[in-house]
Amino acid sequence: MPKLIKDGQLVQDDAWQVIDDEQDIQDYSIISLPRWQENKEALLTHAQAGKLGVWIDSHENVDLIGDDSSSFTLIAVNFPVFTDGRGYSTARLLRERYTYQGEIRAIGDVLVDQLHNLQRVGFDSYLMREDQELEDVLRFFKPFSNPYQADVRETKPLFRRRDKAVS
Amino acid sequence: MYVYDEHDEKLLQERVAQFTDQMQRFIDGKLSETDFLPLRLQNGLYRQRYAPMYRIAVPYGMMTSVRLRKLAHVARKYDKGVAHVTTRQNFQLNWPIFEEVPKIFAELAEVGMHSIQTSGNVVRNTTTDEYAGVLAEEVTDPRPYAEIIRQWSTFHPEFSFLPRKFKICINADPDVDRAALTVNDIGINIRRNEKGEIGYRIYVGGGLGRTPIVGVVINEFVPEEDLLTYISAILRVYNQFGRRDNKFKARIKILVKALKIERFKELVELEWERIRDTEDKLTKEEINRIKRHFTEPDYLDLEDGPIELQNARLDNPDFARWLDKNVREHKRSGYAIVTMPLKETGLTPGDITSEQLEALADIAEEYSFGETRNTHQQNMVLADVEQRKLFELWQKLKPLGLAIPNLDLLTDVICCSGGDYCALANAKSIPVAEAIQARFDDLDYLHDLGPIDFNISGCMNACGHHHIANIGILGVDKKGEEFYQIALGGKQGFDAQIAKILGPSVSRDEVTDVVAKILDFYVDKRIEGESFIDAYYRIGHDAFKGAVYA
């Protein structure tokens, strides 16, 4: 059973599936970025209907999907290893540079200790690595009640709200 | 000195809880060694050759008496009663027990100390000029800006898994760079433009390690409020495009070199334009709020060169020598800046014991408003001493081994921990420092030689900054044996230079003889008043090479 967390909950019945480039595309398939780029025109309606997702690998720059992002309701960002931090910039730029409104899903080497930063840069669902224990997982989302920086969720840095910030 | 409010305090307590939990999960087998590794590194906990090492942050090098006492206490309780000053103005404990480190962190946090981001592929401790705030030449005190960077970089959500570690330093002295601006990933020189406005000249892509590169200017004047947006733009470009396939090519210097500075600047400034006017733009209110924490202490109205000082100088040549070497001018009349080299022969350069720390805490309270500083040369500073009390202070520092008059001399060695501690080292470095200090122990000779930057690294990672030393020693491994490569002509500062290798490496026993030959040649060839480094550049590398390897 895949371990998916979405909107702060464990989800059992999620239809989205990452598929290989050789597999046939079905409803709720998540395809690779090169496959999207090569078949954009044929796949556009499918994507716009909210039934096709795309995944971006860590070495693929966010500008490669760019404004196409608005055609999707789900974009997955892959972490080949959890120490590869490019995906954090990818998600943040999807939100801030391309004002992408749909779901951003972290896939690959996703560990509970990353959840806090991932949600801060704009992720909202997390396909956790197989071995992760998810009992009491929600506590990992907010180890810090009031971080210093602005992020996708809190658009003002602490220095602009220090007086008002409730700790 | 920045004082934490409830928010800073809470963040620190939350970090202690987070790290304590991570360590417990590791002990319980719920977190593997691999998964725990970056988490513990981001809390300053390493595994070294023989024992763990715990690196404690000292933001921009500033310590207080309260913190010195706490450090003395934890060093005694959890370690062997010794702390070590690093080249990033931090402290290290070299023999803690791995599982106990969260407890040390919790004790440190009681006085606002921590070990956040002292390691790992994150933005590290922002360093600055050790004389910040007490120099007449300074454009402004750089420490408030270092504190602004500290807050911005702490637990940054986007930049917590960079390709490699990231080092930022900042100064505000237009003429002298004591912060190593051009050998950091980002170096920030605070300056004023023609209109008198504060801004920053920003250097990027400098670094030592196995590919030493002197950083270049990416922007001559970034306006004051744009500090965080500009460095965020640099970090964002680096995070996306820095190499991750090879650890040794992952620093920003390699990216800048590969793209060339013009292209790198284009990418950064395109990004900067996009984020420049976001909420991250600094406000005057915030800059002033932070600056209020760094106001001047209650200086007295005193005259320069008081009679007590003049008499003591005349009566006591040892004191006079210390004054000339270790004491420098303060922006305020009647005050002085005192540097305490931690370079006693026979002791590891940069080491300070719990007893010394406690004594120093008392001394700082009595003579320097309860504050001390760490320097990147692995020394400590009392920055606000009344000139009329210098003799009294000297008498108290002397028995503690804190008044050795060798600042900037040959024996004021920068030295990494080397093969005695470090798992990466190819060779030991501490015994080389000791051998040099033992051989050249005649103070008259050392003073006659004048200033010489002498640095030792135990491997090419260059933690001992050997590349920017006038005489730099690098430990190398030759078929399992320790050898030492000697290089000359390195310089720190705005006109930083990378030292050039002199010739084939030598065994440890031979290092001091080679150094002696180099020094003899210099003494023989120098013209009146010429420093070692000036003589080297006048006479030339090959002449020195010939003299040593003839």
Side-chain angles (χ1 to χ4, degrees):
Chain A
M1 194 69 199
K3 293 175 164 180
L4 181 74
I5 304 169
K6 186 175 166 177
D7 302 327
Q9 291 190 341
L10 280 168
V11 178
Q12 306 293 344
D13 55 349
D14 180 84
W16 292 101
Q17 279 272 334
V18 174
I19 59 164
D20 290 339
D21 286 350
E22 294 74 39
Q23 285 177 284
D24 292 334
I25 293 172
Q26 298 178 345
D27 281 355
Y28 304 107
S29 289
I30 305 174
I31 60 169
S32 71
L33 181 61
R35 192 171 186 180
W36 162 253
Q37 289 171 318
E38 282 157 34
N39 305 284
K40 214 184 266 191
E41 278 162 37
L43 295 172
L44 187 64
T45 359
H46 199 177
Q48 283 171 339
K51 291 181 177 173
L52 183 70
V54 64
W55 69 276
I56 307 175
D57 210 348
S58 68
H59 67 274
E60 292 168 333
N61 190 263
V62 68
D63 296 333
L64 295 173
I65 180 92
D67 289 327
D68 286 3
S69 58
S70 62
S71 305
F72 290 93
T73 50
L74 181 137
I75 296 175
V77 175
N78 185 42
F79 289 83
V81 289
F82 75 97
T83 49
D84 182 341
R86 287 175 282 196
Y88 294 89
S89 288
T90 304
R92 187 163 189 175
L93 292 172
L94 275 173
R95 296 287 187 216
E96 292 179 355
R97 187 182 294 172
Y98 296 105
T99 58
Y100 171 68
Q101 305 285 322
E103 178 177 339
I104 305 182
R105 178 172 297 189
I107 60 171
D109 205 26
V110 184
L111 281 60
V112 292
D113 290 286
Q114 288 163 262
L115 289 170
H116 169 65
N117 281 343
L118 289 171
Q119 62 92 20
R120 288 184 66 193
V121 297
F123 284 92
D124 31 32
S125 67
Y126 315 88
L127 190 59
M128 306 300 293
R129 195 174 74 189
E130 225 22 55
D131 66 349
Q132 295 296 289
E133 277 191 34
L134 300 189
E135 202 181 306
D136 202 16
V137 70
L138 294 187
R139 72 193 173 99
F140 292 102
F141 278 94
K142 218 163 170 37
F144 306 110
S145 42
N146 231 328
Y148 286 118
Q149 310 79 6
D151 56 43
V152 169
R153 312 281 165 195
E154 172 53 75
T155 52
K156 286 187 193 303
L158 184 60
F159 70 76
R160 285 185 186 266
R161 47 191 177 84
R162 239 179 221 271
D163 300 336
K164 292 160 231 139
V166 183
S167 52
Chain B
M1 186 76 170
Y2 186 72
V3 180
Y4 283 8
D5 73 3
E6 60 195 295
H7 300 300
D8 306 288
E9 187 61 40
K10 181 142 200 221
L11 275 165
L12 187 52
Q13 290 307 332
E14 287 171 333
R15 180 60 154 199
V16 173
Q18 183 193 41
F19 185 44
T20 305
D21 172 68
Q22 287 165 344
M23 178 62 90
Q24 195 55 51
R25 281 155 54 216
F26 173 72
I27 293 168
D28 295 344
K30 291 178 179 166
L31 200 53
S32 72
E33 179 72 46
T34 319
D35 293 348
F36 187 41
L37 176 79
L39 306 179
R40 67 170 164 80
L41 288 179
Q42 294 194 11
N43 288 288
L45 175 55
Y46 285 74
R47 283 192 194 278
Q48 295 282 56
R49 191 175 288 248
Y50 304 110
M53 182 272 277
Y54 182 47
R55 188 178 292 148
I56 298 164
V58 184
Y60 32 93
M62 292 292 298
M63 286 292 284
T64 61
S65 292
V66 172
R67 291 181 179 178
L68 288 170
R69 290 190 187 105
K70 180 60 85 176
L71 179 68
H73 163 76
V74 301
R76 194 180 282 128
K77 183 169 168 188
Y78 298 98
D79 206 287
K80 295 183 176 179
V82 177
H84 176 78
V85 177
T86 77
T87 54
R88 282 204 82 68
Q89 299 180 293
N90 290 323
F91 280 112
Q92 281 179 194
L93 299 180
N94 279 318
W95 304 96
I97 291 167
F98 192 83
E99 293 76 7
E100 283 189 350
V101 167
K103 282 193 220 160
I104 309 179
F105 194 155
E107 288 214 34
L108 293 171
E110 289 168 14
V111 295
M113 291 180 78
H114 59 80
S115 53
I116 295 164
Q117 293 174 205
T118 53
S119 175
N121 295 335
V122 288
V123 178
R124 302 287 188 88
N125 183 35
T126 300
T127 55
T128 189
D129 191 321
E130 58 251 34
Y131 305 138
V134 289
L135 291 166
E137 309 87 282
E138 237 168 29
V139 167
T140 182
D141 186 346
R143 293 171 301 170
Y145 301 89
E147 173 59 25
I148 287 169
I149 295 170
R150 182 195 72 79
Q151 296 190 14
W152 162 83
S153 65
T154 299
F155 316 141
H156 198 290
E158 189 180 340
F159 307 133
S160 285
F161 290 98
L162 295 169
R164 200 75 177 83
K165 58 186 167 186
F166 203 89
K167 300 175 176 183
I168 303 178
C169 69
I170 184 162
N171 89 335
D173 185 328
D175 305 312
V176 185
D177 165 23
R178 272 169 298 265
L181 294 176
T182 56
V183 290
N184 270 261
D185 295 289
I186 292 180
I188 302 170
N189 176 223
I190 305 177
R191 54 187 290 252
R192 284 186 196 278
N193 64 7
E194 318 73 56
K195 293 183 205 150
E197 297 158 338
I198 294 269
Y200 320 94
R201 176 185 290 122
I202 299 192
Y203 294 84
V204 71
L208 300 173
R210 51 186 78 198
T211 317
I213 296 178
V214 174
V216 287
V217 175
I218 178 167
N219 193 309
E220 278 291 344
F221 193 83
V222 172
E224 186 177 26
E225 289 88 341
D226 295 330
L227 177 64
L228 298 182
T229 53
Y230 200 89
I231 57 181
S232 291
I234 295 177
L235 262 297
R236 186 169 274 170
V237 169
Y238 172 55
N239 191 41
Q240 294 180 85
F241 300 106
R243 280 181 66 172
R244 291 177 186 262
D245 58 324
N246 180 342
K247 180 178 170 183
F248 302 116
K249 301 199 165 160
R251 294 288 290 272
I252 197 173
K253 61 191 173 188
I254 306 291
L255 178 66
V256 174
K257 207 176 164 203
L259 291 176
K260 305 227 166 34
I261 185 64
E262 297 76 20
R263 175 69 185 139
F264 182 77
K265 180 182 165 86
E266 221 173 86
L267 289 173
V268 166
E269 299 206 341
L270 177 65
E271 183 58 30
W272 182 39
E273 284 309 320
R274 287 170 171 147
I275 62 173
R276 196 173 166 175
D277 292 316
T278 56
E279 303 275 359
D280 279 332
K281 195 186 211 56
L282 283 170
T283 58
K284 284 275 180 235
E285 294 73 44
E286 173 65 359
I287 295 169
N288 290 334
R289 182 185 79 86
I290 303 276
K291 282 192 169 176
R292 280 196 296 275
H293 287 278
F294 293 89
T295 49
E296 286 186 353
D298 295 325
Y299 292 125
L300 302 173
D301 281 323
L302 298 169
E303 294 291 313
D304 271 333
I307 190 75
E308 301 93 315
L309 179 65
Q310 293 179 37
N311 288 336
R313 177 193 274 280
L314 290 173
D315 292 345
N316 199 320
D318 283 352
F319 172 64
R321 173 170 272 169
W322 175 78
L323 270 185
D324 291 339
K325 218 58 246 177
N326 294 14
V327 179
R328 62 161 285 153
E329 221 172 283
H330 194 284
K331 68 173 181 187
R332 189 69 196 209
S333 68
Y335 284 83
I337 308 169
V338 173
T339 304
M340 299 167 286
L342 303 177
K343 306 294 162 66
E344 200 171 352
T345 304
L347 299 179
T348 302
D351 270 11
I352 182 160
T353 66
S354 290
E355 290 69 35
Q356 284 173 314
L357 286 166
E358 281 161 351
L360 188 55
D362 294 344
I363 287 172
E365 268 170 357
E366 197 175 343
Y367 296 96
S368 196
F369 300 99
E371 289 182 352
T372 65
R373 296 146 184 241
N374 290 354
T375 82
H376 84 281
Q377 310 263 53
Q378 301 179 290
N379 297 327
M380 289 179 79
V381 169
L382 292 166
D384 297 292
V385 181
E386 291 174 28
Q387 292 174 11
R388 60 184 182 181
K389 293 186 179 165
L390 281 168
F391 185 64
E392 203 180 302
L393 173 67
W394 176 71
Q395 287 175 304
K396 291 195 178 175
L397 291 178
K398 219 169 164 269
L400 292 167
L402 296 174
I404 305 161
N406 68 345
L407 184 65
D408 299 333
L409 300 182
L410 177 73
T411 52
D412 182 10
V413 180
I414 297 183
C415 182
C416 74
S417 54
D420 290 295
Y421 297 99
C422 180
L424 303 172
N426 290 323
K428 292 187 180 183
S429 50
I430 296 166
V432 179
E434 285 176 5
I436 292 291
Q437 288 168 335
R439 167 92 169 245
F440 303 100
D441 64 343
D442 178 352
L443 275 170
D444 291 326
Y445 179 62
L446 288 171
H447 282 253
D448 175 60
L449 287 174
I452 298 178
D453 285 345
F454 185 87
N455 303 349
I456 310 169
S457 301
C459 77
M460 59 175 90
N461 291 309
C463 298
H465 295 184
H466 67 277
H467 294 302
I468 48 169
N470 302 162
I471 304 176
I473 311 284
L474 166 66
V476 293
D477 176 281
K478 272 193 185 171
K479 296 180 189 144
E481 268 193 78
E482 295 181 349
F483 276 78
Y484 296 86
Q485 204 172 63
I486 294 164
L488 297 183
K491 273 201 239 184
Q492 5 183 9
F494 286 117
D495 58 343
Q497 293 287 337
I498 304 297
K500 218 169 136 187
I501 295 165
L502 192 61
S505 54
V506 299
S507 71
R508 197 192 299 164
D509 297 341
E510 294 169 297
V511 173
T512 43
D513 289 335
V514 172
V515 172
K517 279 187 195 169
I518 294 167
L519 297 175
D520 287 345
F521 186 66
Y522 155 64
V523 170
D524 187 37
K525 299 291 175 198
R526 70 179 164 187
I527 46 184
E528 184 69 33
E530 191 179 38
S531 69
F532 176 82
I533 192 70
D534 289 344
Y536 169 83
Y537 278 103
R538 180 178 56 82
I539 303 165
H541 187 81
D542 292 341
F544 274 89
K545 185 174 181 161
V548 170
Y549 288 95

